[in-house]
Amino acid sequence: MFPPSLSPSLQFELSAIQVTHQNRRDLLERTCQAYTRKRRVLTPDDLKHLIVDDRHGLLYCYVPKVACTNWKRVLMVLTGDGKYRDPLKIPANEAHVPSNLRTLSEYSTSEINHRLRNYLKFAFVREPFERLVSAYRNKFTRKYNTAFHKRYGTKIVKRHRPDPSDEALEHGDDVSFEEFVYYLVDPHTQREEPFNEHWERVHSLCHPCIIHYDMVGKYETLDEDARYILQLAGVSDRVQFPSSSKSTRTTDDMTAQFFHKISPFYQKKLYNLYKMDFLLFNYSLPTYLNFR
């Protein structure tokens, strides 16, 4: 069952974490069976978030705002032919350069099927509203994110702010969380184009009801889940997952403050939008919500 080199205490730790991951997989399967009627065929577009490590037989579905920068850094160390040794020495912007890592959408159908059948497949998830507030804070409240302000902020201001100023229409750099919520739940938004990956639902990025993940790690248990996955992949001697910095992290309390101004009507609309992520990954309805 366990390699002979593992100490009894580590064996116990592994068996406890194995049970946790088995429970997550079981719940995922039950929820998928309950909510998806017909399994559709994956398209290349569905596979853009699956990063491939052919050397170690890994498939990682990255979800923005769920430690994906650090996971990309780890995979750059594993696939980089010795070019990188320490994940934290890789600049964050370099981790997000598409050509630095291969995605499953770049392979032929037979190569895709082979990898889906044989590789260790994993993803990391996070409490949906915490992830959403984290995305809002990062993309709409930081002055340096001018590309997001121009691309989305100006559109949100134009559509969801009564009597906006010329400056706000031009720069889009003062979008409130309420306006962001109105934009998300507006049916027009998704008819116009798919959600940006930073606020797209995890089930739409990673397709867990079509792809059978071996591991679903959680942001809330990031360090132990990451350690376990690297052990399973047999690479824990080559690379360590960087410890997460907790200082600027979006927490449950912070998320509650952002939702304080959202009316129950819009809270419910937003919950319905992200409901599958709550159900699939076993996140309960947040206590700070006012609708029941």
Side-chain angles (χ1 to χ4, degrees):
M1 179 88 174
F2 298 106
S5 58
L6 288 184
S7 68
S9 65
L10 188 57
Q11 288 189 18
F12 174 75
E13 196 187 325
L14 273 183
S15 59
I17 202 164
Q18 278 177 319
V19 170
T20 298
H21 282 276
Q22 186 60 54
N23 289 341
R24 287 178 192 172
R25 282 193 297 272
D26 291 346
L27 175 87
L28 195 53
E29 200 166 316
R30 285 198 305 275
T31 311
C32 286
Q33 282 173 350
Y35 285 90
T36 50
R37 281 158 207 62
K38 191 161 150 269
R39 275 186 58 166
R40 63 181 185 77
V41 176
L42 288 162
T43 67
D45 227 31
D46 295 328
L47 306 173
K48 283 184 176 155
H49 274 249
L50 280 149
I51 293 172
V52 183
D53 172 2
D54 281 323
R55 183 166 301 166
H56 305 97
L58 295 175
L59 283 179
Y60 159 59
C61 184
Y62 75 89
V63 178
K65 308 312 299 171
V66 193
C68 81
T69 305
N70 279 344
W71 269 115
K72 286 179 177 180
R73 286 166 161 155
V74 164
L75 284 155
M76 282 170 74
V77 171
L78 291 176
T79 58
D81 293 317
K83 186 178 170 189
Y84 310 99
R85 297 207 185 285
D86 177 359
L88 285 176
K89 293 219 169 93
I90 301 170
N93 59 341
E94 204 174 316
H96 297 294
V97 173
S99 58
N100 281 335
L101 292 161
R102 291 195 75 182
T103 66
L104 199 54
S105 57
E106 297 168 41
Y107 292 77
S108 71
T109 305
S110 62
E111 288 171 331
I112 288 167
N113 289 332
H114 170 78
R115 281 157 182 76
L116 285 172
R117 272 197 303 274
N118 298 294
Y119 284 15
L120 180 76
K121 300 176 290 297
F122 70 97
F124 269 73
V125 301
R126 182 179 187 178
E127 201 281 333
F129 285 171
E130 216 171 275
R131 177 175 165 246
L132 194 64
V133 167
S134 178
Y136 166 76
R137 287 177 68 214
N138 183 258
K139 298 303 170 195
F140 292 103
T141 69
R142 307 274 192 272
K143 288 295 172 206
Y144 57 78
N145 266 324
T146 48
F148 263 82
H149 303 156
K150 278 273 190 222
R151 171 91 173 73
Y152 296 100
T154 52
K155 190 185 288 183
I156 292 170
V157 167
K158 186 177 175 188
R159 201 178 287 168
H160 298 288
R161 183 177 300 178
D163 200 24
S165 69
D166 291 344
E167 196 183 350
L169 285 168
E170 190 190 341
H171 298 292
D173 59 357
D174 64 346
V175 169
S176 71
F177 184 65
E178 290 146 284
E179 290 168 335
F180 180 51
V181 169
Y182 299 153
Y183 165 76
L184 292 172
V185 301
D186 180 357
H188 190 85
T189 301
Q190 278 196 83
R191 279 203 297 270
E192 195 175 66
E193 61 179 344
F195 274 172
N196 179 279
E197 61 175 18
H198 289 84
W199 48 85
E200 180 59 280
R201 284 72 51 100
V202 176
H203 75 271
S204 300
L205 294 175
C206 296
H207 311 285
C209 292
I210 311 175
I211 296 168
H212 293 292
Y213 287 92
D214 302 292
M215 298 289 139
V216 175
K218 291 198 165 188
Y219 193 71
E220 295 77 12
T221 49
L222 176 61
D223 293 339
E224 63 247 51
D225 287 347
R227 199 164 53 238
Y228 179 49
I229 286 165
L230 293 175
Q231 277 174 345
L232 277 184
V235 296
S236 50
D237 55 338
R238 285 218 36 214
V239 65
Q240 301 290 304
F241 190 82
S243 272
S244 48
S245 74
K246 304 276 197 287
S247 56
T248 58
R249 232 169 105 161
T250 302
T251 60
D252 185 57
D253 289 348
M254 202 183 285
T255 304
Q257 286 171 8
F258 277 89
F259 272 83
H260 183 61
K261 288 183 181 166
I262 308 298
S263 73
F265 176 78
Y266 280 102
Q267 287 181 3
K268 180 148 197 189
K269 269 187 170 316
L270 196 67
Y271 175 75
N272 286 335
L273 195 58
Y274 288 88
K275 185 178 176 179
M276 278 309 289
D277 281 359
F278 278 97
L279 298 174
L280 288 165
F281 308 117
N282 201 22
Y283 288 108
S284 49
L285 194 68
T287 52
Y288 54 75
L289 296 180
N290 295 324
F291 73 87
R292 282 293 172 265

